Amino acid sequence: MIRLGLILLSLGTLLVASRVLLPVETVEVVGNRHLQVEQVQALTGLQVGTPWLWAWPSRLNPLKADPWVLSAQLERPRVGRLRIVLKERVAVASIGLKDSRVGLSPDGVLLPGAEPRTPFLEAVPDGDYTELLALARAFPDALRIHADASGYRIIGPNLNLWSSSVKELQDWAKGRRIGRSEAATLQPQDPAVPAYPGPMVSVSRLNLYSWGVSTNR
């Protein structure tokens, strides 16, 4: 019993020492563009003074739950130092939800607080933005993409195009060489591109159907 008591006492001493000795001296955050360092530290609880030995990767779970975070890793460059390596999502379009506009990432995650970007997607939200993102890839210069029960309308410079089929729109864009390849990924908008369109240019409105194309003004 005495030996057991000494073992338990030693373990208790080591446990207390691990929380007092080797405190975190610096917490470095890299890869963040939207999230502030203070936000990252608050979400993880990893701050100066935190026990270095108790800084487990599980502390990043609340951070990973943030929609802006695509991935997060915890590194220990040396004793007393922590590094949180982030890869953030990027807004490649804006979408209207109720009375607000939020960003949309290439993998369909809503990004609150994102700067307005074109194309501006107008649609009844159902949580699946796959088709809208596919159209944004096919029409990288589009200013607005509207979706409703009847189909999809693409508005852009000298462009007013409608179809009930996403595939027909993709084929039209590919055939006219105005879109990128289907394998291309969306990139952040050029700051020189206006966030939202001004007055629409009067152009012929094209309607795509399985049997052909109709034109009207």
Side-chain angles (χ1 to χ4, degrees):
M1 292 297 293
I2 295 176
R3 180 178 299 178
L4 178 61
L6 291 174
I7 292 175
L8 294 176
L9 179 60
S10 298
L11 291 175
T13 302
L14 290 174
L15 180 62
V16 173
S18 69
R19 290 184 171 275
V20 176
L21 300 176
L22 301 179
V24 172
E25 299 173 358
T26 60
V27 179
E28 182 185 9
V29 179
V30 298
N32 60 308
R33 298 179 62 185
H34 178 81
L35 295 177
Q36 300 297 316
V37 173
E38 294 76 13
Q39 291 177 280
V40 174
Q41 292 180 346
L43 286 170
T44 61
L46 297 175
Q47 302 173 343
V48 174
T50 302
W52 186 77
L53 292 175
W54 289 79
W56 300 105
S58 59
R59 301 288 287 272
L60 300 182
N61 289 342
L63 179 63
K64 292 178 180 179
D66 189 285
W68 280 93
V69 177
L70 183 62
S71 65
Q73 293 181 334
L74 181 63
E75 297 179 353
R76 301 168 181 264
R78 61 175 176 79
V79 175
R81 182 178 177 182
L82 297 176
R83 180 186 295 129
I84 300 174
V85 181
L86 292 181
K87 184 176 182 181
E88 292 186 345
R89 289 185 170 89
V90 177
V92 294
S94 295
I95 187 166
L97 295 178
K98 296 183 179 178
D99 297 328
S100 63
R101 290 169 175 168
V102 300
L104 187 64
S105 71
D107 55 343
V109 176
L110 298 176
L111 302 175
E115 293 293 326
R117 295 186 180 279
T118 56
F120 176 56
L121 310 178
E122 302 171 319
V124 178
D126 59 3
D128 184 0
Y129 306 107
T130 304
E131 292 182 339
L132 290 173
L133 286 168
L135 291 175
R137 279 191 290 269
F139 296 87
D141 296 329
L143 299 176
R144 285 168 37 209
I145 299 177
H146 179 85
D148 56 31
S150 66
Y152 308 87
R153 182 165 299 283
I154 314 297
I155 304 295
N158 299 317
L159 180 65
N160 190 337
L161 183 67
W162 175 91
S163 177
S164 62
S165 168
V166 172
K167 186 177 186 307
E168 287 177 359
L169 288 167
Q170 289 175 312
D171 291 343
W172 189 93
K174 186 176 181 180
R176 295 301 189 278
R177 298 177 178 269
I178 64 173
R180 286 174 279 184
S181 68
E182 295 177 356
T185 58
L186 289 173
Q187 298 296 327
Q189 176 194 0
D190 188 327
V193 177
Y196 294 105
M200 286 171 39
V201 178
S202 178
V203 296
S204 297
R205 184 170 60 189
L206 301 179
N207 296 328
L208 303 184
Y209 301 96
S210 58
W211 48 264
V213 179
S214 70
T215 304
N216 57 60
R217 282 193 172 272

